[in-house]
């Protein structure tokens, strides 16, 4: 049973506690790339594709290495899938991702005059691009109100008892109904490092967690 059962979840206080807790840790890689100037919708889409099934510690240098060679749809479209693959081979499923990145770049050049528009339907029309990457691109690069739900956001918000869902897509819908809009972008920015270093998938650090008192600890059977 959730702690403070019957009381509203103190999301404002929780967000501030998480914000303080993650200050010592590396930032979520997509947000760090954007802060360092790789903030175009296309660059962040490429980085998000590279990140799929790949840890931030690997994705970040891989994306930076790729952007040293090409940063625009026009430049990427002139590469070969094999050339792209050679650069991003440190990421999981790199051959598939290389072809996907090349195809997207060609489509943007052919159908959108070389500029990726900040439009949800366009992003979701690309093969292999789902709501997580689309929403993160729209939120970070386009400054639109979207929620990026990855494994950390899904796991932690359910563990808190803030939402009760089975799949990330359901979590996105639930958060759109529950989460105040001022936190829609921050929820991913904050919960990625929080999930990697404190509220981990296995044996979370509950004894040292600043969110322990309102957290329902749903699904937690063993912790530190």
């Amino acid at each position: 049973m959730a702690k403070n059962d019957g009381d509203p979840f103190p999301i404002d206080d929780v967000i501030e506690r998480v914000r303080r807790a993650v200050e010592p840790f590396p930032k979520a890689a997509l947000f760090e790339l954007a802060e360092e100037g790789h903030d175009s919708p296309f660059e962040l889409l490429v980085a998000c594709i590279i990140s799929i099934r790949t840890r931030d510690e690997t994705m970040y240098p891989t994306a930076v290495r790729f952007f040293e060679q090409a940063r625009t749809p026009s430049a990427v479209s002139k590469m070969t899938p094999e050339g792209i693959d050679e650069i991003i081979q440190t990421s999981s499923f790199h051959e598939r991702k290389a072809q996907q990145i090349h195809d997207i770049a060609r489509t943007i050049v052919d159908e959108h005059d070389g500029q990726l528009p900040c439009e949800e339907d366009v992003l979701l029309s690309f093969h292999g691009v789902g709501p997580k990457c689309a929403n993160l691109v729209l939120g970070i690069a386009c400054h639109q109100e979207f929620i990026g739900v990855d494994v950390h956001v899904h796991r932690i918000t359910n563990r808190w008892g803030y939402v009760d869902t089975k799949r990330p897509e359901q979590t996105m819908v639930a958060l759109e109904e529950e989460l105040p809009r001022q936190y829609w972008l921050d929820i991913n920015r904050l919960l990625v490092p929080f999930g990697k270093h404190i509220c981990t998938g296995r044996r979370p650090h509950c004894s040292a967690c600043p969110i322990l008192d309102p957290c329902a600890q749903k699904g937690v059977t063993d912790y530190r």
Side-chain angles (χ1 to χ4, degrees), residues 8-24:
F9 188 81
I11 190 63
D12 297 300
D13 182 43
V14 164
I15 290 292
E16 287 309 309
R17 293 192 206 182
V18 172
R19 198 185 305 278
R20 292 192 296 269
V22 301
E23 285 180 356

Side-chain angles (χ1 to χ4, degrees), residues 27-35 38 43-48 51 56 59-60 133 136-137 140 188:
K27 298 176 182 177
L30 283 179
F31 291 90
E32 186 171 2
L33 283 168
E35 289 181 10
H38 298 291
E43 286 176 291
L44 289 179
L45 179 59
V46 169
C48 194
S51 77
D56 273 6
M59 181 277 276
Y60 179 82
C133 282
L136 284 169
V137 170
I140 301 171
N188 189 278

Side-chain angles (χ1 to χ4, degrees), residues 58-121:
T58 299
M59 181 277 276
Y60 179 82
T62 302
V64 170
R65 187 165 60 248
F66 182 74
F67 296 143
E68 288 173 350
Q69 302 299 317
R71 298 181 59 177
T72 66
S74 177
V76 174
S77 70
K78 295 173 184 176
M79 302 174 72
T80 63
E82 293 76 17
I84 297 171
D85 180 53
E86 185 176 350
I87 300 171
I88 69 167
Q89 60 183 301
T90 48
S91 68
S92 301
F93 309 111
H94 50 87
E95 291 184 6
R96 183 189 311 166
K97 292 175 181 178
Q99 185 65 59
Q100 180 183 359
I101 290 168
H102 186 263
D103 290 345
I104 289 172
R106 288 290 301 272
T107 300
I108 295 171
V109 169
D110 293 342
E111 300 181 9
H112 302 286
D113 297 322
Q115 296 292 326
L116 177 58
C118 287
E119 297 176 14
E120 182 182 17
D121 58 341

